[in-house]
Amino acid sequence: MTNNAIEQLDDLISISEEFIRLTHTESHKPEEFKKLRLFSTAETEKMVNKSRTTIQRAENDGVISAPAREPNSNHRVGYSLEQINTLRDHFSTLPGREEGDEALVLAIANFKGGCAKTTSTVNLSQYLALEGYKVLVVDMDSQATLTSMFGFIPDMDFNADNTVLPYFNGEKDALDYAVHTTHIPNVHIIPACLELYHAELGAASHISEMASVEERIDFFKTLRYGIDSIRDNYDVILVDSPPSLGIISVNVLLAADALLVPCACKMYDFSSTTQFFRMVKDYISKLDPDKAYKFIKVVASQYDRREHNQKDFLEVLKGSFGDRMLTTPFLSSSEIAKSAARFETPYEQSKPNRRIIDNMALAFKEVELEILKTWPSKEDKLIELGVLI
């Protein structure tokens, strides 16, 4: 066995990549590649906001095909999300933005790893998609965990040319080339891979060669300009930020219209989050002092109700952040961890865990309402719901 560092690392990389490839292959064989489950008639009624009779009448009118039936029980196998969205479109119950509304860019950010940032991003994207919104997720973390959660193998399915890198390098005029479909019909992704890490090194060199301060500052808005080139195609754009401070993460902060900041119910995480806010303020004051966020919300993540110290600290968080914090914390759950190990989310399970789904729905509904508040066309509806006065 060699002691050469590069050869040792090459061996470890080969072993690791082969394991990842085999894991994906076993979890999602070509004929079983990731796909969203079907929804029961009762679920479809709720999602479309129409009665079973009205939905069946639409089937008879040819709006959608009637679902197939189980050969033994003759029960309907269920509706696909594509069919549900077709029904929503037919009945004008799609919830997305209207003319005059602007797609919201929401960054899920914190400079501390392990705070459920990526988990929050992928689950929020799927919640919004199931509600009927058109969603783009942008993976800006070279670890590419978000990309993996959508069933892709970073550095095998994608390379640098499929990420934001060509746009950052000035090789592309818009980001449309990097957008890929996923197994969820109204969620698209701009993926990441390990080569995205080189964007930090290349960007630092590129900035140092710029002649003026204005040019250097403008480079930190590169992601914003790229997202603006495709913004009109979506209702919500979610950006998963790297868990560290750098040129890419600052680009994310300047691209965002709003921030969702996960924070675990622990003193160390609270201190790190406080430092995160200090650093964000420092960079924005230097690079874009007129920057305005439509909202900043902290969410307690990985919350375990069985831990008394976490219960106590949740109250500390609520007392500190007040209405800047979501009311509902994200629960810590072995179910979520098990799902992630299978490159799945709770939404993708054939029999979802209702406790976890209901908890996420409560938290994500709060985020959804914050998004709706940014769209003028929704003002009357929100007043009717009592959200706005």
Side-chain angles (χ1 to χ4, degrees):
M1 181 179 293
T2 179
N3 289 326
N4 180 271
I6 292 176
E7 292 180 10
Q8 287 178 302
L9 291 167
D10 275 339
D11 286 341
L12 290 168
I13 290 168
S14 297
I15 292 167
S16 302
E17 288 181 344
E18 179 62 14
F19 175 77
I20 292 170
R21 186 189 65 78
L22 289 172
T23 302
H24 272 273
T25 301
E26 288 302 311
S27 299
H28 307 292
K29 296 173 184 175
E31 68 275 13
E32 299 172 358
F33 190 73
K34 280 175 77 76
K35 56 186 178 183
L36 198 59
R37 70 179 181 90
L38 299 177
F39 297 87
S40 69
T41 300
E43 289 175 310
T44 301
E45 286 182 84
K46 184 177 179 181
M47 294 168 78
V48 177
N49 197 25
K50 294 295 177 181
S51 70
R52 181 176 310 207
T53 301
T54 302
I55 291 171
Q56 290 180 351
R57 190 180 302 123
E59 293 172 15
N60 295 335
D61 291 342
V63 176
I64 62 169
S65 300
R69 294 182 179 270
E70 294 281 1
N72 297 326
S73 65
N74 202 37
H75 291 155
R76 293 179 169 221
V77 298
Y79 296 82
S80 69
L81 185 58
E82 292 98 324
Q83 289 177 308
I84 290 170
N85 283 335
T86 299
L87 289 169
R88 283 167 164 160
D89 186 47
H90 175 70
F91 293 120
S92 300
T93 59
L94 281 168
R97 63 188 181 87
E98 299 175 29
E99 188 175 353
D101 300 334
E102 188 175 57
L104 184 87
V105 181
L106 175 61
I108 294 80
N110 199 329
F111 293 158
K112 183 184 181 302
C115 62
K117 181 174 55 63
T118 299
T119 304
S120 302
T121 306
V122 66
N123 284 319
L124 176 57
S125 74
Q126 294 187 2
Y127 166 85
L128 291 171
L130 295 183
E131 291 297 307
Y133 297 95
K134 296 177 183 177
V135 182
L136 173 68
V137 292
V138 184
D139 193 351
M140 295 299 292
D141 186 353
S142 61
Q143 296 178 75
T145 306
L146 179 67
T147 301
S148 296
M149 290 298 293
F150 279 94
F152 302 107
I153 308 178
D155 302 297
M156 293 183 186
D157 291 332
F158 299 119
N159 59 33
D161 291 340
N162 307 118
T163 71
V164 298
L165 269 177
Y167 183 80
F168 268 69
N169 293 336
E171 299 164 14
K172 299 286 185 178
D173 296 326
L175 272 178
D176 53 349
Y177 72 91
V179 175
H180 298 266
T181 58
T182 72
H183 62 292
I184 299 178
N186 42 334
V187 177
H188 292 169
I189 187 171
I190 294 181
C193 65
L194 185 59
E195 289 181 77
L196 191 59
Y197 174 76
H198 299 304
E200 289 285 344
L201 302 176
S205 175
H206 186 55
I207 290 172
S208 67
E209 295 171 357
M210 291 179 175
S212 68
V213 174
E214 290 76 15
E215 283 183 290
R216 293 172 188 171
I217 290 176
D218 202 52
F219 185 81
F220 286 94
K221 300 178 184 178
T222 302
L223 180 61
R224 179 71 184 198
Y225 300 144
I227 287 176
D228 283 346
S229 71
I230 52 175
R231 179 192 287 262
D232 290 345
N233 299 328
Y234 303 97
D235 296 314
V236 182
I237 298 169
L238 303 178
V239 187
D240 188 26
S241 176
S244 59
L245 180 63
I247 293 170
I248 294 299
S249 53
V250 174
N251 257 273
V252 171
L253 294 172
L254 294 185
D257 299 315
L259 299 179
L260 181 64
V261 184
C263 176
C265 294
K266 300 174 184 176
M267 187 63 209
Y268 181 76
D269 290 77
F270 179 80
S271 300
S272 296
T273 300
T274 303
Q275 186 62 25
F276 165 75
F277 287 132
R278 286 197 189 102
M279 290 189 288
V280 172
K281 176 189 172 185
D282 184 48
Y283 273 87
I284 286 179
S285 63
K286 292 175 181 176
L287 297 171
D288 192 1
D290 294 326
K291 174 74 178 174
Y293 287 123
K294 295 178 180 179
F295 63 85
I296 300 175
K297 289 289 182 177
V298 177
V299 56
S301 61
Q302 301 174 317
Y303 175 62
D304 191 339
R305 292 185 284 212
R306 298 167 299 181
E307 298 286 339
H308 290 292
N309 59 332
Q310 290 201 27
K311 277 188 174 182
D312 294 339
F313 209 85
L314 178 61
E315 296 308 313
V316 172
L317 288 177
K318 289 180 177 179
S320 299
F321 294 122
D323 60 5
R324 296 278 192 179
M325 184 171 176
L326 297 188
T327 304
T328 307
F330 291 156
L331 298 181
S332 173
S333 167
S334 60
E335 189 68 36
I336 294 176
K338 289 175 183 176
S339 296
R342 298 191 298 268
F343 300 99
E344 289 180 345
T345 72
Y347 291 110
E348 295 169 326
Q349 296 175 357
S350 57
K351 294 181 179 179
N353 182 316
R354 293 312 316 176
R355 182 179 74 92
I356 299 301
I357 293 293
D358 290 346
N359 166 253
M360 292 196 298
L362 285 172
F364 292 149
K365 174 59 72 173
E366 292 184 56
V367 178
E368 181 186 1
L369 287 174
E370 292 298 326
I371 294 169
L372 292 176
K373 288 178 189 177
T374 71
W375 293 339
S377 71
K378 308 301 180 184
E379 183 176 352
D380 290 344
K381 176 185 176 181
L382 293 176
I383 291 173
E384 184 181 327
L385 293 171
V387 176
L388 294 177
I389 299 175

